[in-house]
Amino acid sequence: MVFVGALEAYMAEGLSVGRLMGTSAGAITATFLAAGYMIDEVQDALKEKTDDGRSVFETFLGKPGGFSEQDLLLDVR
């Protein structure tokens, strides 16, 4: 949400975006903008909740599984 707020302030000054890039949250914001979303639409998407009230961004990736003992013993060289 911070990236979107910063972008909103940037555009309020009459500035525009020429190129988009980012990592993590910046990449998500850049993707929304590249897809043609307006700032208010991005904010709405970031506020979207699941039925149990959690952010949809908490749920789109599952928890990573642990490593087995065999995984830890593999020599990947």
Side-chain angles (χ1 to χ4, degrees):
M1 294 262 234
V2 172
F3 286 98
V4 178
L7 188 58
E8 184 176 30
Y10 181 83
M11 290 181 162
E13 292 294 319
L15 303 170
S16 62
V17 177
R19 294 184 180 164
L20 301 168
M21 65 179 210
T23 58
S24 194
I28 293 170
T29 303
T31 301
F32 277 126
L33 295 173
Y37 282 70
M38 302 303 292
I39 296 296
D40 58 332
E41 293 172 309
V42 176
Q43 288 174 331
D44 289 343
L46 293 174
K47 293 176 188 173
E48 189 176 343
K49 303 285 183 189
T50 62
D51 291 338
D52 63 359
R54 295 185 308 155
S55 167
V56 295
F57 288 98
E58 287 181 48
T59 61
F60 77 99
L61 290 176
K63 287 187 176 182
F67 292 104
S68 71
E69 188 172 326
Q70 182 64 32
D71 292 332
L72 297 174
L73 295 174
L74 286 176
D75 184 0
V76 294
R77 286 183 259 159

